[in-house]
Amino acid sequence: MPPQLNLILLGPPGAGKGTQAERLGEDFRLAFISTGEMLRANVKQGTQLGVAAKEHMDAGALVPDDLILAMAAARLGEDDTRDGFILDGFPRTTAQALALERQLGQGGRRITATLLLDVPDEEIIRRIAGRRVCVKAGHNYHVDYDPPKRPDVCDQDGSRLIQRDDDRPEVVENRLRVYHDQTAPLIDFYEERGLLRRVDGTRPPAAVHDHIRAMIATLRLEDSL
Ligand code: ADP
Ligand code: AMP
C-alpha cells in the first residue's frame, strides 16, 4: 500500500487552493477538506456553529480557534481520511497548526508536505473580485480567467452562480491583512519542519496543477525509499 499522502494547501485567500484541491482530489483519491466550505454549509443550514461563525466570516476575520479545531478534529477522525487528505484553508493560525500536529501524531499520522501557493496581493484582489461560486455545491469560476459556458450558470450542476458575501472589496482587504498577520507565520512554521514546498501560483491553473503533481510524485518516491 502506498504511504499516506497528507497535504496542506497554504496561501492567501484567492490563491487557487480550492481550484487545485478539487483537481488533486480527483487525481489521488484523497479526502478533500475545506474548512471554509464546511463553515459555509453550517451557515446555510443554520447550525449553532454556523450562527457563531457567520459574523466573523462576513467581517473577513478568522473564526475562533476552538470552534475550528472541534470541527476539523471531527472531520479528520472520519474513515475516508485514512489513506490521505488535502487540507484547504486549515490550519490558519499557529495554534491550529500545533493542534493538528498533536492530533495526527496521536493517530500515528503526520503531514507529508505543505504546499504554499505564492500569489502577490494585487493578483489576489483581481481573482477574488472575479470569483463566482455556484449556490448548490460551491463550484468555482472566474468571470475572466475561468468563465462558465453560460453566464451565471454552473457548468457542473446547472445551479446559479453568485459572489460570496466575503468576496466584496471592503471585506477582501481585511482578509488579506488577516492572512499576513495570522496565517503567513505558518510559512516559517512548516519551513522549520522541512515540510514547505513553494509553488508559483501566478501561472494558469493547469500549469500549477502539473507542478503540484510532479512535486507529489517526488514526495512519494522519497517516502518509499
Ligand atoms: P482559494 O481557494 O485559495 O480561496 P480559489 O481556488 O477559489 O482560491 O480561486 C480564486 C479565484 O481565482 C477563482 O475565481 C478561480 O477561478 C481563480 N483562479 C484559481 N486559480 C487560478 C490561476 N492559477 N490563475 C487564474 N485564476 C485562478
Ligand atoms: P475560505 O473559504 O477558506 O476563504 O474561508 C472563508 C472564511 O471562513 C474565512 O475568511 C474565515 O472567516 C473562515 N475560516 C475558514 N477556515 C478557517 C480556519 N482554519 N480558521 C479560522 N477561520 C476559518
Side-chain angles (χ1 to χ4, degrees), residues 7-10 24 113-117 197 199 212 215-216:
L7 301 175
I8 296 174
L9 290 180
L10 185 64
L24 293 169
T114 296
L115 310 179
L116 172 67
L117 284 183
R197 301 285 184 281
V199 178
I212 295 179
M215 252 177 193
I216 291 177

Side-chain angles (χ1 to χ4, degrees), residues 2-9 20-21 23-30 83-87 112-115 197-199 208-224:
Q4 278 174 7
L5 202 55
N6 297 332
L7 301 175
I8 296 174
L9 290 180
Q20 295 302 322
R23 292 172 181 233
L24 293 169
E26 285 166 14
D27 294 341
F28 295 101
R29 294 180 174 229
L30 303 170
D83 294 336
F85 54 77
I86 308 179
L87 295 175
T112 315
T114 296
L115 310 179
R197 301 285 184 281
R198 288 176 190 270
V199 178
V208 176
H209 180 218
D210 287 346
H211 184 188
I212 295 179
R213 276 208 317 198
M215 252 177 193
I216 291 177
T218 311
L219 284 167
R220 285 209 143 146
L221 204 62
E222 286 169 2
D223 237 26
S224 64

Side-chain angles (χ1 to χ4, degrees), residues 10-17 116-121 124 128 176 179-180:
L10 185 64
K17 301 183 296 296
L116 172 67
L117 284 183
D118 247 337
V119 179
D121 285 3
I124 289 297
I128 294 188
L176 271 173
Y179 171 75
H180 289 296

Side-chain angles (χ1 to χ4, degrees), residues 12-19 127 131 140-142 145-146 201 203-205:
K17 301 183 296 296
T19 301
R127 286 191 188 177
R131 170 160 58 189
N140 244 317
Y141 298 85
H142 189 284
Y145 303 145
D146 181 21
R203 300 167 69 207

Side-chain angles (χ1 to χ4, degrees), residues 29-183:
R29 294 180 174 229
L30 303 170
F32 164 44
I33 302 176
S34 157
T35 44
E37 284 298 325
M38 291 171 79
L39 291 168
R40 281 187 286 280
N42 274 276
V43 170
K44 212 164 153 185
Q45 289 158 17
T47 66
Q48 213 178 346
L49 170 62
V51 172
K54 188 171 177 8
E55 57 171 310
H56 302 285
M57 295 170 77
D58 285 351
L62 294 185
V63 173
D65 283 339
D66 55 338
L67 297 180
I68 294 292
L69 287 173
M71 180 180 83
R75 181 67 187 89
L76 284 165
E78 287 178 26
D79 278 349
D80 67 331
T81 66
R82 284 281 139 198
D83 294 336
F85 54 77
I86 308 179
L87 295 175
D88 163 10
F90 175 82
R92 256 179 159 99
T93 63
T94 304
Q96 291 180 15
L98 288 167
L100 173 65
E101 200 168 60
R102 210 173 315 122
Q103 183 190 0
L104 294 179
Q106 281 164 0
R109 297 190 284 180
R110 62 180 178 81
I111 293 297
T112 315
T114 296
L115 310 179
L116 172 67
L117 284 183
D118 247 337
V119 179
D121 285 3
E122 56 281 10
E123 173 66 9
I124 289 297
I125 289 166
R126 269 194 294 277
R127 286 191 188 177
I128 294 188
R131 170 160 58 189
R132 297 293 180 271
V133 296
C134 82
V135 289
K136 191 164 176 194
H139 294 125
N140 244 317
Y141 298 85
H142 189 284
V143 290
D144 300 318
Y145 303 145
D146 181 21
K149 293 197 182 75
R150 282 195 293 152
D152 298 324
V153 178
C154 179
D155 294 346
Q156 297 192 53
D157 61 30
S159 73
R160 199 163 44 90
L161 300 184
I162 55 161
Q163 183 169 43
R164 275 167 47 175
D165 283 344
D166 59 350
D167 279 354
R168 285 171 291 122
E170 60 276 22
V171 184
V172 171
E173 209 175 295
N174 195 37
R175 288 170 67 201
L176 271 173
R177 202 169 24 239
V178 166
Y179 171 75
H180 289 296
D181 289 350
Q182 301 190 54
T183 306

